[in-house]
């Protein structure tokens, strides 16, 4: 996980929650909201100094709400420190109101000038985005979109205040255009919308300033929880020197239809590397020899009805889907598998079968990517990405168990309690076979006795961190098999 994200608090709060709670908390703490605005501008200025200490020329772009007020405060503080500041106001003929108007007056009283935002100058060394805050729900209006497009074309450093303008503050989706920030500083509470889906392309580095209200907000139940690699040691205890293979789980992997055996090999390798005591795999006859050659530690055999029944009774956990296909093999084994009481992980063609035969079970982990999620919910991929939080919750409510909605900023929903958000991994995972690794990792952890929610969270973290460890010169050309030794390293970090 990126260093800036590791520093964030675990409790995340939706933008709507923060807007609702801010006036209440300020009243309870007897703090005028204008003081909170001043603190936001001060925090942004301090972050600017840390990130760009040599910056001498700022262009501050202000819209019409409280986000603009934060920009006015920052501009005043920068000017007081001798920086050259140009402040451009969108629609200056429309008067600001409330605390934003007060911040504007303080800027004018300091000798600052308000320039009309018509064309963004190209000679700034740093741009401050205070155009649109977290309340945006649809696309930017045409004039604002033109300014955002101009700003992005400059390819210059941009500091966004609270949220990059154009991002949906609740979901992180982008309808049309949004500012591509170099750095975003968010206030009072960290918004989960900044950490998943399209937002990962626009937020840049992320920092957090709780201001005077953050501590009181954090005392409330979180809307979403942020996962961290630091949690792995809690899920993966050190092994006793007297332990043996029978104490570390038995996982059965089912898939590997003709021509798709590689998926089963990858899943088996990941299950081994995550420390599973015994790994068995069943697939098409053609996968047996390659599996033995690649992983002699795996007990592999052709998928046949009688042998399957014996292996199902043997297994502590089952993984169904890697390279399964949608033919006779899948039709043969799916009903038998879903009748079991052990934890089951369903991925790939297992999920495609589920989309055609919907059912609700509590003993499984479902790991769809957005395309599979769209099939499961009978909607488009665009609808999934427009609200990943809502999509994960609908999947869990419809199908039960634990849902892992993959993608940038993976979401995990277990039905009870807040969702978990895990912004791990990198674009090198955008290649066939990466999901099969994750299936093997989570399946192996399930067999070792981790609860489904814990296995899903630990599995996603191990998978994402191993991908970063394997990144090497860059994401292009990174193979799923490159992760295998790093998976082993990650699960052993707590051991001597």
């Amino acid at each position: 996980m990126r260093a800036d994200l590791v520093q964030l608090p675990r409790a995340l709060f939706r933008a709507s929650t923060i807007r609702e709670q801010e006036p209440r908390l300020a009243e309870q703490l007897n703090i005028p909201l204008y003081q909170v605005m001043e603190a936001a501008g001060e925090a942004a200025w301090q972050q600017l100094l840390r990130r760009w200490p040599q910056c001498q020329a700022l262009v501050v772009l202000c819209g019409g709400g409280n986000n603009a007020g934060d920009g006015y405060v920052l501009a005043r503080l920068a000017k007081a420190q001798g920086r050259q500041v140009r402040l451009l106001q969108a629609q200056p003929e429309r008067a600001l109101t409330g605390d934003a108007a007060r911040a504007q007056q303080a800027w004018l009283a300091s000798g600052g000038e308000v320039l009309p935002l018509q064309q963004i100058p190209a000679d700034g060394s740093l741009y401050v985005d205070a155009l649109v805050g977290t309340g945006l729900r649809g696309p930017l209006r045409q004039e604002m979109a033109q300014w955002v497009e101009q700003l992005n074309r400059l390819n210059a450093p941009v500091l966004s205040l609270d949220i990059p303008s154009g991002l949906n503050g609740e979901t992180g989706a982008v309808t049309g255009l949004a500012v591509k920030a170099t750095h975003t500083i968010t206030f009072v509470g960290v918004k989960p919308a900044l950490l998943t889906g399209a937002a990962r392309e626009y937020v840049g580095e992320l920092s957090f300033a709780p201001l005077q209200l953050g501590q009181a907000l954090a005392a409330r139940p979180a809307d979403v929880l942020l996962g961290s690699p630091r949690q792995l040691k809690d899920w993966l205890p050190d092994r006793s020197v007297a332990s043996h293979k029978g104490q570390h789980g038995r996982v059965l992997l089912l898939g590997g239809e003709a021509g798709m055996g590689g998926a089963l090999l990858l899943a088996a390798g990941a299950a081994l590397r995550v420390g599973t005591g015994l790994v068995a795999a069943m697939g098409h006859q053609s996968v047996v020899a390659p599996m033995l050659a690649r992983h002699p530690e795996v007990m592999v055999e052709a998928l046949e009805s009688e042998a399957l029944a014996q292996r199902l009774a043997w297994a502590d956990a089952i993984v169904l889907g890697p390279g399964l296909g949608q033919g006779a093999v899948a039709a043969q084994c799916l009903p038998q598998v879903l009748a079991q009481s052990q934890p089951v992980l369903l991925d790939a063609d297992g999920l495609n079968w589920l989309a055609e035969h919907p059912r609700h079970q509590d003993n499984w982990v479902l790991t769809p990517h957005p395309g599979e999620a769209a099939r499961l919910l009978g909607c488009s991929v665009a609808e999934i990405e427009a609200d990943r939080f809502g999509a994960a919750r609908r999947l869990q409510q419809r199908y039960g168990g634990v849902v892992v909605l993959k993608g940038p900023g993976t979401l995990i929903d277990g039905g009870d309690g807040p969702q978990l958000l895990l912004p791990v991994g990198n674009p090198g995972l955008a290649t066939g076979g990466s999901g099969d690794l994750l299936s093997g990792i989570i399946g192996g952890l399930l067999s070792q006795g981790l609860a489904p929610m814990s296995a899903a969270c630990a599995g996603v973290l191990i998978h994402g961190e191993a991908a970063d460890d394997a990144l090497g010169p860059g994401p292009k050309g990174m193979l799923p098999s490159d992760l295998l030794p790093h998976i082993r390293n990650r699960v052993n970090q707590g051991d001597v």
Side-chain angles (χ1 to χ4, degrees):
M1 185 182 290
R2 280 184 357 214
D4 58 320
L5 304 184
V6 172
Q7 302 304 314
L8 298 175
R10 189 155 186 251
L12 310 180
F13 296 92
R14 298 187 187 280
S16 56
T17 299
I18 296 172
R19 280 196 305 275
E20 175 189 325
Q21 290 298 317
E22 271 187 334
R24 298 179 184 179
L25 295 174
E27 183 177 1
Q28 291 171 12
L29 297 171
N30 195 29
I31 299 172
L33 281 173
Y34 182 70
Q35 286 187 17
V36 180
M37 181 176 286
E38 283 278 336
E42 170 70 28
W45 168 238
Q46 293 301 323
Q47 184 60 49
L48 187 154
L49 288 176
R50 285 189 290 269
R51 184 67 175 75
W52 296 281
Q54 304 304 316
C55 176
Q56 295 297 319
L58 284 71
V59 177
V60 180
L61 308 174
C62 292
N66 282 341
N67 196 241
D70 300 338
Y72 272 100
V73 174
L74 182 151
R76 190 184 80 240
L77 295 172
K79 181 176 179 296
Q81 294 298 314
R83 304 304 199 269
Q84 177 189 335
V85 182
R86 282 172 288 177
L87 189 146
L88 279 63
Q89 173 68 55
Q91 296 182 309
E93 69 280 1
R94 296 179 60 182
L96 299 180
T97 60
D99 292 330
R102 185 173 173 182
Q104 184 185 60
Q105 290 304 312
W107 161 252
L108 293 170
S110 73
E113 183 181 8
V114 176
L115 304 172
L117 177 51
Q118 296 172 339
Q119 187 78 17
I120 298 177
D123 58 345
S125 57
L126 174 69
Y127 294 80
V128 176
D129 163 31
L131 289 168
V132 181
T134 60
L136 183 72
R137 291 293 174 272
L140 295 166
R141 56 184 175 82
Q142 184 177 359
E143 191 176 32
M144 189 70 73
Q146 291 173 351
W147 293 325
V148 168
E149 186 177 18
Q150 287 180 35
L151 181 59
N152 288 342
R153 279 204 308 265
L154 292 176
N155 198 28
V158 177
L159 172 65
S160 283
L161 305 188
D162 211 20
I163 188 170
S165 296
L167 280 188
N168 184 309
E170 284 295 293
T171 68
V174 177
T175 306
L177 288 171
V179 169
K180 287 195 172 183
T182 311
H183 190 108
T184 298
I185 179 169
T186 198
F187 306 120
V188 181
V190 178
K191 292 82 179 166
L194 297 171
L195 295 166
T196 192
R200 299 293 302 276
E201 186 77 20
Y202 294 87
V203 170
E205 295 176 351
L206 181 61
S207 59
F208 169 55
L211 311 180
Q212 301 96 320
L213 307 181
Q215 185 175 357
L217 179 68
R220 295 175 45 83
D223 292 330
V224 177
L225 292 174
L226 179 65
S228 167
R230 295 168 179 166
Q231 297 173 267
L232 284 175
K233 65 180 183 298
D234 299 326
W235 290 313
L236 305 173
D238 295 350
R239 285 193 173 179
S240 165
V241 294
S243 66
H244 58 80
K245 63 185 179 184
Q247 295 175 318
H248 300 301
R250 296 173 295 190
V251 66
L252 172 60
L253 309 170
L254 301 171
E257 179 59 284
M260 295 186 287
L264 197 61
L265 266 70
L266 288 168
L272 289 167
R273 289 300 188 180
V274 85
T276 309
L278 293 164
V279 178
M282 302 183 76
H284 190 269
Q285 180 64 45
S286 62
V287 82
V288 174
M291 182 72 80
L292 289 172
R294 181 72 173 269
H295 299 301
E297 304 86 352
V298 175
M299 296 170 284
V300 59
E301 56 190 313
L303 182 53
E304 297 173 354
S305 183
E306 183 176 344
L308 174 60
Q310 294 175 351
R311 276 297 179 198
L312 289 174
W314 167 89
D316 295 317
I318 304 159
V319 173
L320 179 65
L324 180 68
Q326 300 182 51
V329 172
Q332 170 192 354
C333 69
L334 273 157
Q336 288 179 266
V337 171
L338 298 181
Q340 303 301 304
S341 59
Q342 306 101 307
V344 176
L345 182 139
L346 228 59
D347 189 29
D349 282 316
L351 295 172
N352 291 328
W353 182 91
L354 182 61
E356 296 295 325
H357 306 85
R359 59 192 290 167
H360 188 285
Q361 290 188 194
D362 293 326
N363 69 323
W364 57 22
V365 176
L366 310 178
T367 59
H369 57 57
E372 291 160 344
R375 287 192 285 277
L376 287 165
L377 290 176
C379 64
S380 67
V381 173
E383 289 173 284
I384 297 294
E385 296 290 36
D387 184 3
R388 288 172 54 81
F389 301 100
R393 181 51 50 94
R394 292 197 306 276
L395 285 164
Q396 200 287 325
Q397 290 173 341
R398 182 174 297 185
Y399 295 100
V402 173
V403 171
V404 179
L405 179 56
K406 297 184 288 193
T410 293
L411 294 173
I412 303 179
D413 195 315
D416 298 326
Q419 295 174 328
L420 269 80
L421 198 163
L422 300 168
V424 294
N426 60 66
L429 292 172
T431 188
S434 297
D436 302 311
L437 287 180
L438 181 61
S439 296
I441 292 170
I442 297 176
L445 296 175
L446 287 169
S447 77
Q448 294 176 56
L450 272 71
M453 191 71 175
S454 298
C457 296
V460 171
L461 285 167
I462 292 166
H463 186 249
E465 293 297 284
D468 287 347
D469 295 340
L471 192 59
K476 297 175 184 175
M478 188 175 84
L479 302 180
S481 55
D482 293 338
L483 274 64
L484 289 171
H486 301 289
I487 291 170
R488 182 186 178 194
N489 291 341
R490 284 290 169 178
V491 299
N492 280 291
Q493 285 192 352
D495 287 284
V496 178

